[in-house]
Amino acid sequence: MERDTRPAVVVGAGPAGLCAAIELKRAGAPVLLMDENAKPGGQLFKQIHKFFGSQEHRAGVRGIEIGKDLLRESLDLGIDVRLDTEVVGLDPNLKVWAVEGRRRSYTLDASRVILATGATENAVPFPGWTLPGVMTAGCAQTLINVHRVLPGKRILMVGSGNVGVIVAYQLIQAGAEVAAVIEAAPALGGYGVHTAKVRRAGVPMLVRTTIVRAEGNEGVERAVISEVDGKFKPLAGTERTLDVDTICLAVGLTPSIELASLAGCRTFFVPELGGHMPLHDEFMRSSVPAVYVVGDIAGVEEASTAMEEGRLAGIHAAFSMGYLDSGEMERRTADTRRRLRALRQGVFGAKRFTAKERILAEKEKECP
Amino acid sequence: MPMSPDAPDASDRTLKTLGAPSLAELRAAGVVPSREELAAHPCVCVECIEEIPCNPCETSCPQGALTVGQPITNLPVLDRQKCTACGLCIPACPGLAVVIKSLEGDRAKIRFPWEYLPVPAKGDRVEMVDRLGNPVCGGTVVSVINPARNNRTAVVTAEFPAEYVDDVISMRRL
């Protein structure tokens, strides 16, 4: 097979994109890795906690160190990493339009495009939500762990998924007090070990509870919360006021699919993985065969699954460009797929596994 | 799934409502050592009762006393015969769910993970807390270790009155 010498373009240098670029480069394929941020690593450099998983998933290692290792590996391999470079356009013929440093604009023809654009945090509107001091949990995490700025002294966390409880823990570590973690559902969402370590630090966790409004003049001074009924409607007479100066929203993420839509990738609605997302097959190929989707854009999961999906796509793209034979591709992806399966087991993983199976089945049906 | 005879009532299943497991939930999971065991030798308590994909406790144990196996969502199983209570599993657990407890007469001891500043020092008088973060009794820090291999998870040992041994899980931040 003749080798395709046009580069594979990886968009997004988070865990999924870094791993995809590393596998492409390892196979000898030309690759460009683009990221709109000044630093690569995506969310990894905010993750100061030890990761779950098995030893081969780097469990027990803090996310920030996994980020450093991936970065070192990509530099050692000599990957062309283009930072401050925003990919603003992509057409179905794989013409990539990039803007560098908000000054220079250029296009290039890619042989493959791997979209690792991640996800965007959801917000929930309520009276007072535009007051300074209301922010997403990811914003608070960036402030404390990247910029070393404490957003407030007393914090209300809205949402008890892993993001909410992990950021609550890190806010306490950074010196803040967390007044409560509230959850509208009847059960807490995050891993029990995460909620347990926050709870033992004295943080109340309130299920069937929502935020009603934020109050304050120049910024947040109070949060009014209330119990909810089975349909998430506030129950009259259950309102309580908490003295807080910061309200963090950890109410889910939505895949960032703009570029996939521009490229014409067919999407599918999967609520348990964050909403609309591009269909993909077992090698992370979208309905546009030369466009791959990996990490949170292909369904919101975790850094560990994002890294494996990135590897899967990178290996397959290198194969499809003629840099690996089918036996070598099968051998390398077999390990990756085995590790991905291991991450999607148990009470939390099973839901994601089933959702992913649905995406594969729909892809098979819609674009065989 | 069949209910085990000692399955806790709904009101005792607090992990997903209050955020921390109740003693009844932990007992049903078989992770609470008896007073006799605690008096006989230090007991590793792995308070990990939810299937998540995680096994660093297994790989950290030099004795092979902790088994997760395949799939890695299995709950860890502890073999007390093999366990030497070396404590390497305490900082290895990303969930901070492992402590070691023991009883000596009317005093109890707990070794637990600690990731807050300030880190306590030997001799500090501290307040021991239960799983809900409520203060339960006074305690004294006996030792603090934080070698490089712990990767910034300190391990604190504190001593407190024996009667609170089942409830105490950590200490209040300084």
Side-chain angles (χ1 to χ4, degrees):
Chain A
M1 184 175 164
E2 201 171 315
R3 291 178 166 183
D4 197 329
T5 53
R6 294 168 303 162
V9 172
V10 181
V11 185
L18 278 168
C19 286
I22 286 169
E23 292 297 341
L24 277 155
K25 190 74 181 179
R26 259 192 204 152
V31 55
L32 293 178
L33 176 57
M34 298 182 172
D35 196 295
E36 62 182 336
N37 295 292
K39 285 181 185 170
Q43 305 303 305
L44 277 176
F45 289 99
K46 302 171 196 173
Q47 310 309 322
I48 60 168
H49 59 283
K50 291 179 178 174
F51 273 29
F52 289 83
S54 65
Q55 204 156 42
E56 55 189 6
H57 298 119
R58 316 287 318 274
V61 179
R62 296 179 192 276
I64 184 168
E65 284 142 14
I66 298 175
K68 281 184 197 157
D69 290 348
L70 286 177
L71 216 53
R72 196 176 307 122
E73 197 178 351
S74 58
L75 292 176
D76 288 349
L77 285 166
I79 293 172
D80 185 350
V81 186
R82 301 190 180 178
L83 300 171
D84 275 319
T85 300
E86 191 178 3
V87 175
V88 293
L90 173 64
D91 73 13
N93 299 317
L94 269 58
K95 193 173 277 297
V96 176
W97 175 20
V99 175
E100 190 188 283
R102 301 192 178 188
R103 284 187 310 275
R104 193 170 81 89
S105 164
Y106 60 92
T107 60
L108 60 91
D109 291 303
S111 67
R112 304 289 181 278
V113 170
I114 297 183
L115 297 174
T117 49
T120 308
E121 291 184 279
N122 298 338
V124 53
F126 49 85
W129 76 315
T130 55
L131 280 171
V134 180
M135 65 189 74
T136 62
C139 171
Q141 195 183 35
T142 305
L143 286 170
I144 52 176
N145 295 348
V146 178
H147 303 294
R148 300 184 180 226
V149 172
L150 203 54
K153 292 198 167 111
R154 227 175 117 74
I155 293 160
L156 170 66
M157 182 63 68
V158 180
S160 72
N162 277 335
V163 171
V165 285
I166 289 171
V167 174
Y169 182 64
Q170 294 177 355
L171 281 162
I172 303 168
Q173 288 182 302
E177 187 190 341
V178 177
V181 175
I182 63 172
E183 169 60 57
L188 298 166
Y191 286 171
V193 286
H194 283 315
T195 57
K197 70 186 184 188
V198 175
R199 181 74 214 214
R200 81 173 71 116
V203 176
M205 304 228 166
L206 309 169
V207 293
R208 292 191 174 91
T209 302
T210 193
I211 177 143
V212 176
R213 63 180 177 273
E215 295 177 347
N217 290 317
E218 301 290 310
V220 174
E221 292 168 28
R222 290 169 301 279
V224 178
I225 61 172
S226 147
E227 290 174 29
V228 294
D229 64 16
K231 289 176 178 162
F232 301 116
K233 290 267 176 280
L235 286 166
T238 63
E239 286 190 2
R240 283 169 55 190
T241 301
L242 301 176
D243 287 325
V244 295
D245 55 21
T246 305
I247 298 171
C248 288
L249 307 177
V251 291
L253 297 123
T254 302
S256 301
I257 64 169
E258 297 84 348
L259 289 173
S261 300
L262 282 174
C265 301
R266 299 184 67 149
T267 60
F268 187 50
F269 187 68
V270 189
E272 61 270 49
L273 294 178
H276 286 283
M277 61 200 63
L279 289 176
H280 66 75
D281 67 9
E282 56 180 333
F283 295 111
M284 310 312 295
R285 261 181 311 188
S286 73
S287 62
V288 180
V291 176
Y292 296 75
V293 288
V294 295
D296 280 354
I297 184 183
V300 174
E301 292 188 87
E302 296 167 353
S304 46
T305 47
M307 291 188 276
E308 299 296 358
E309 288 187 348
R311 291 193 189 284
L312 204 51
I315 296 166
H316 193 273
F319 156 71
S320 74
M321 289 165 72
Y323 291 88
L324 292 174
D325 63 34
S326 62
E328 188 58 21
M329 185 276 284
E330 290 290 347
R331 197 185 61 76
R332 292 191 193 185
T333 53
D335 281 350
T336 309
R337 286 198 280 180
R338 179 183 54 75
R339 292 196 297 265
L340 259 179
R341 262 198 309 279
L343 288 169
R344 291 184 182 137
Q345 281 163 340
V347 282
F348 288 89
K351 197 173 76 178
R352 294 187 276 116
F353 180 78
T354 317
K356 277 285 187 181
E357 290 290 291
R358 246 170 51 231
I359 296 174
L360 297 185
E362 183 72 11
K363 168 76 168 52
E364 190 62 38
K365 198 175 81 191
E366 289 291 310
C367 18
Chain B
M1 214 166 79
M3 296 284 277
S4 75
D6 53 356
D9 293 339
S11 60
D12 284 331
R13 285 200 294 268
T14 59
L15 182 62
K16 303 314 282 183
T17 52
L18 298 179
S22 68
L23 260 181
E25 256 175 322
L26 294 169
R27 286 208 171 99
V31 299
V32 181
S34 68
R35 302 268 166 148
E36 292 70 36
E37 286 176 296
L38 288 164
H41 50 75
C43 293
V44 167
C45 309
V46 186
E47 301 201 351
C48 176
I49 61 170
E50 200 174 54
E51 292 177 343
I52 56 174
C54 194
N55 71 1
C57 58
E58 178 176 41
T59 45
S60 75
C61 181
Q63 312 299 331
L66 273 161
T67 307
V68 173
Q70 291 293 335
I72 59 165
T73 42
N74 288 341
L75 295 180
V77 176
L78 174 69
D79 182 344
R80 289 211 191 281
Q81 300 299 315
K82 290 185 185 167
C83 176
T84 62
C86 70
L88 287 177
C89 49
I90 297 175
C93 172
L96 307 191
V98 181
V99 299
I100 297 181
K101 291 178 175 179
S102 60
L103 282 175
E104 221 172 296
D106 63 352
R107 300 297 286 173
K109 251 188 210 169
I110 181 170
R111 258 186 275 170
F112 58 95
W114 188 256
E115 292 186 337
Y116 298 109
L117 292 173
V119 175
K122 184 178 174 180
D124 281 357
R125 294 283 303 156
V126 293
E127 250 184 311
M128 307 311 293
V129 298
D130 66 12
R131 294 173 184 82
L132 298 179
N134 301 315
V136 289
C137 61
T140 306
V141 174
V142 180
S143 79
V144 179
I145 57 163
N146 198 359
R149 68 160 182 269
N150 283 21
N151 192 4
R152 283 160 287 168
T153 304
V155 175
V156 177
T157 306
E159 199 183 67
F160 57 94
E163 60 196 287
Y164 302 108
V165 71
D166 289 337
D167 289 326
V168 164
I169 195 70
S170 188
M171 57 172 257
R172 205 163 141 166
R173 292 188 307 287
L174 300 170

